[in-house]
Amino acid sequence: MKDSGLPTGVRCLVGKSGNKRFLLRYISPITSKKASIGLGKHPETDIITLRKIAKEYRQQILEGIDPKIERDTEKIDSSMSLERFFNEVYLPLAKQKRSWKDEVARFRHAKSIQHVSIHELTAAHIIKVQMEMQGAISKTTNKPYAAATINRVLALLKTVNRQAYKLMDAPLVADKVSLMKEDNVRTGYLSEVQLKDFIRHALEYPDRHTGAFLALLFLTGLRDKELRFRLWNDINWDEQILTIPHTKNGSSHVIYLSDYMVEVLQSIPKVSNNPYIFAGQRKGQPISPARHALKVIKLKMGLPDIPGDKANITLHSARHTVGSLLASNGVPLHDIAKQLNHADLSSTRRYSKLTVGRRREIGSHLSDMVSGHVSLG
């Protein structure tokens, strides 16, 4: 073997029955442990072929590639189903987002196509899931699935397909599938006059932490948990910014505080041994979701409280309020998207980056609307 011109590490193993097979033994550049990979059997593999294969593997090792891991990965890639890709590749990346459990639940709706290889997935498979959901009844509501619910499942499958395209060269079929037209999107939001009244009632609410929370929620357009779980350390008083380290889409987000927002924050009493801005009754914990306080304020304002109604004001209405009022004041849609930290406004739009000055100007719009009419007491 030493005189055959073969790379170091090639061995010929002879079994009890006389069968001969060739191996390349080496130290894996990945694990730094001893490893071996088969080169072929005798007499099917001649010496010329043996040299060629062994030299290719040896070159891979010199380049920092483990040929056995590489070969096994290729075998797995070619047979990987949609389900395996979701669980083994997509999900570990998705767990960076807070909403990853929702994606697991949505993926269950695609059970009929989970066995399909990611390399054989087609637009027809995704549309099949859509058709199945359109003809099914939700076990939760005992009603047909809403278009918005179906769209979330379709959007997930489209995202998974794009990831497979980027990571494993699977065919890109996601762009061929269109989302359904939605007619059940929540549109509840406050008018400018109502917002002024809402801020006043919020700051007069008996629990000052809860009241200040609701006021700032409707001034910033943040998501409930993004604001409710903020710590005093998240505020930079000198630069007047509030930092959200982790948002729903996995990224960090910065809110540029207006003078009025800073005034509201400074009016909140600090609670010893509680790091949260909006301290709750339980030791070291933030306030609970302010749904009761919101209901009380709506009652004082004469606003209806009809769960499920499109125009009903909820905690999420803070985002609709900020978006609609900024738009009515001439703020471009891509600027609003940046303010609300939307990952996408639509599949065909992209958002431009804003300067700090522009972000601060946008963040002051709503404060300017109400600060001249609301007293902090």
Side-chain angles (χ1 to χ4, degrees), residues 90-91 93-104 106 148 151-153 155-156 159 182 186 221-230 243-254 316 319-320 337-344:
Y90 178 81
L91 200 54
L93 298 174
K95 285 185 177 179
Q96 298 174 20
K97 301 184 291 184
R98 290 186 176 182
S99 59
W100 68 270
K101 290 184 179 179
D102 294 332
E103 296 193 341
V104 172
R106 289 167 191 158
N151 276 347
R152 290 188 182 99
V153 175
L156 172 62
T159 301
E182 296 183 20
R186 277 186 188 172
L222 286 170
R223 298 178 178 90
D224 168 57
K225 289 184 179 180
E226 290 175 355
L227 181 60
R228 190 157 51 88
F229 285 86
R230 294 288 50 82
T243 301
I244 297 91
H246 302 287
T247 62
K248 182 179 179 181
N249 58 29
S251 64
S252 61
H253 184 45
V254 170
H316 195 72
R319 295 177 67 73
H320 292 300
K338 192 70 176 178
Q339 176 70 14
L340 296 178
N341 195 35
H342 281 156
D344 292 291

Side-chain angles (χ1 to χ4, degrees), residues 318-336:
R319 295 177 67 73
H320 292 300
T321 296
V322 169
S324 61
L325 292 184
L326 290 180
S328 66
N329 276 264
V331 178
L333 289 181
H334 59 270
D335 287 2
I336 297 172

Side-chain angles (χ1 to χ4, degrees), residues 238-241 254-258 338-339 353-364:
D238 293 333
E239 297 184 18
Q240 293 191 194
I241 60 174
V254 170
I255 287 292
Y256 293 88
L257 303 169
S258 65
K338 192 70 176 178
Q339 176 70 14
K353 294 183 179 179
L354 302 178
T355 63
V356 170
R358 180 69 173 139
R359 290 285 305 282
R360 196 176 295 282
E361 178 185 344
I362 291 171
S364 298

Side-chain angles (χ1 to χ4, degrees), residues 89-158:
V89 181
Y90 178 81
L91 200 54
L93 298 174
K95 285 185 177 179
Q96 298 174 20
K97 301 184 291 184
R98 290 186 176 182
S99 59
W100 68 270
K101 290 184 179 179
D102 294 332
E103 296 193 341
V104 172
R106 289 167 191 158
F107 187 68
R108 295 194 189 107
H109 290 289
K111 188 174 182 179
S112 65
I113 66 168
Q114 289 179 6
H115 67 283
V116 177
S117 166
I118 59 167
H119 293 282
E120 297 176 359
L121 186 70
T122 65
H125 286 117
I126 299 178
I127 294 173
K128 178 185 178 182
V129 174
Q130 175 187 330
M131 300 300 291
E132 288 173 345
M133 291 190 70
Q134 283 181 286
I137 300 295
S138 169
K139 294 181 180 179
T140 305
T141 64
N142 203 30
K143 297 179 181 179
Y145 287 106
T149 302
I150 298 174
N151 276 347
R152 290 188 182 99
V153 175
L154 297 181
L156 172 62
L157 293 175
K158 285 159 68 74

Side-chain angles (χ1 to χ4, degrees), residues 75-89:
K75 289 182 179 179
I76 292 173
D77 288 356
S78 62
S79 62
M80 180 171 280
S81 66
L82 176 63
E83 182 179 22
R84 281 192 60 199
F85 179 81
F86 179 82
N87 290 326
E88 298 176 14
V89 181

